Amino acid sequence: MRGTGLLIANESVTLTSGAHMAVLGLGTWQARGRIAVNAVLRALDVGYRHIDTATMYGNEEQVGQAVAESGVPREEIFVTTKLPPGRAGRERATLKESLDALGLDYVDLWLIHWPPSGGARPDVWTRLLDLQAEGLARDVGVSNYSVRQIDELERATGRLPAVNQIEWSPALFDGDMLEAHRSRGVQLEGYSPLKTTNLRDPRLVQIAEERGVTPAQVILRWHIEHRIVAIPKSTNAERIAENAAIFGFELRPSEVEQLNGPTPARRH
Ligand code: A2P
């Protein structure tokens, strides 16, 4: 593994509730069984304090098992899970099932995984807010929502989601989208930071070589420079550690700018 400096993954952003969310989390999509337990254990061991799961991932039990086995105090770990859109109308039962599987009394963040049937569904959002008020989720938010849908939730309830988790990477960069979230006070959280990136892009490789880090580390650092929460997924012990070793270097504003936006090959 290449990397420089500290391995500290607990730099954080502050959500509307006042809670702190680590800017780097472990994604767990498609991680199952013992592989999922080991990935989360490894992440907690190297300093991650934020784990992202979902009812749809089928691994909440494994995430909970690793959290319990790790010995890291529960309150130090930020745990996100998500309501499948098909469970709209059964919010309470679904969250209770998630908490049972995770072995937790509350989650730090509960998201509507996708707009149910493509709609914003303020009624579903209201029920998330009710469950938050009961203390079962510290913060509530959405995933894969458009800004228009977020505004629809606010118009109906007067409450904005704490977070919108969407697919994000340099290739998918959209300055207007970022600003729209920022101006509303909605934290942008990006998923699939690596899968949607060409790690052999010459600009990226050059920046990485100059720093003595890997292209993947530059991509994750780019998110941090933008204050966008990143949740790279890995089940590989080396890459889990590599992805966290991004707090010992910085990118210059000109480098951040250079990476913003699609590469020429993807512009069409
Ligand atoms: P693996 O689990 O074998 O490490 P994303 O989070 O963007 O969806 O990307 C996940 C994919 O990227 C997984 O296939 C994962 O594989 C791989 N991956 C994770 N970390 C790195 C890394 N540092 N370098 C290259 N590939 C990585």
Side-chain angles (χ1 to χ4, degrees):
M1 180 191 89
R2 288 195 285 168
T4 52
L6 301 170
L7 190 62
I8 301 171
N10 58 7
E11 201 176 303
S12 63
V13 293
T14 304
L15 301 182
T16 38
S17 72
H20 299 292
M21 178 188 202
V23 289
L24 182 77
L26 179 75
T28 65
W29 184 49
Q30 292 179 326
R32 293 282 174 90
R34 191 68 219 176
I35 288 173
V37 177
N38 288 342
V40 176
L41 276 173
R42 169 70 172 165
L44 293 171
D45 190 43
V46 299
Y48 288 68
R49 290 295 179 267
H50 170 182
I51 311 293
D52 183 271
T53 180
T55 295
M56 278 165 75
Y57 299 170
N59 61 16
E60 288 170 311
E61 208 174 313
Q62 286 73 28
V63 169
Q65 188 185 332
V67 166
E69 272 180 33
S70 72
V72 178
R74 190 287 168 241
E75 60 276 14
E76 285 184 18
I77 308 173
F78 190 100
V79 179
T80 301
T81 193
K82 312 184 192 86
L83 172 81
R87 298 276 188 98
R90 287 177 288 157
E91 294 81 7
R92 178 179 298 275
T94 305
L95 182 53
K96 289 249 157 100
E97 279 169 34
S98 286
L99 292 171
D100 274 354
L102 287 161
L104 301 177
D105 300 332
Y106 67 92
V107 288
D108 295 275
L109 182 62
W110 194 37
L111 305 176
I112 305 174
H113 205 150
W114 291 86
S117 309
R121 292 292 299 268
D123 59 319
V124 175
W125 177 233
T126 301
R127 289 191 283 273
L128 262 74
L129 290 166
D130 290 345
L131 291 162
Q132 178 192 21
E134 288 180 34
L136 300 183
R138 291 274 158 96
D139 277 281
V140 286
V142 295
S143 181
N144 299 299
Y145 269 55
S146 66
V147 173
R148 188 184 53 73
Q149 289 172 323
I150 286 174
D151 286 343
E152 194 180 329
L153 296 184
E154 194 197 14
R155 267 199 309 278
T157 65
R159 296 278 302 278
L160 281 162
V163 169
N164 187 20
Q165 186 186 113
I166 59 177
E167 198 173 34
W168 197 262
S169 69
L172 301 175
F173 179 79
D174 178 342
D176 293 340
M177 183 82 149
L178 180 56
E179 184 47 37
H181 283 77
R182 201 151 276 166
S183 63
R184 287 163 177 75
V186 178
Q187 177 62 48
L188 195 59
E189 179 180 17
Y191 68 80
S192 290
L194 303 172
K195 207 162 36 201
T196 51
T197 298
N198 172 14
L199 293 176
R200 298 206 178 104
D201 179 302
R203 286 180 305 179
L204 181 58
V205 170
Q206 192 191 341
I207 294 171
E209 281 176 357
E210 281 169 16
R211 290 287 183 301
V213 300
T214 66
Q217 288 172 322
V218 171
I219 294 299
L220 298 172
R221 185 70 218 178
W222 173 88
H223 286 72
I224 309 301
E225 305 295 3
H226 277 299
R227 308 312 288 168
I228 293 166
V229 174
I231 46 167
K233 176 256 162 181
S234 182
T235 51
N236 174 283
E238 287 254 309
R239 287 190 285 277
I240 289 170
E242 174 186 332
N243 294 343
I246 56 170
F247 297 93
F249 71 99
E250 291 178 354
L251 298 176
R252 287 190 294 276
S254 61
E255 291 170 321
V256 172
E257 181 99 357
Q258 244 191 319
L259 293 172
N260 287 350
T263 57
R266 294 189 58 146
R267 260 191 198 120
H268 305 287

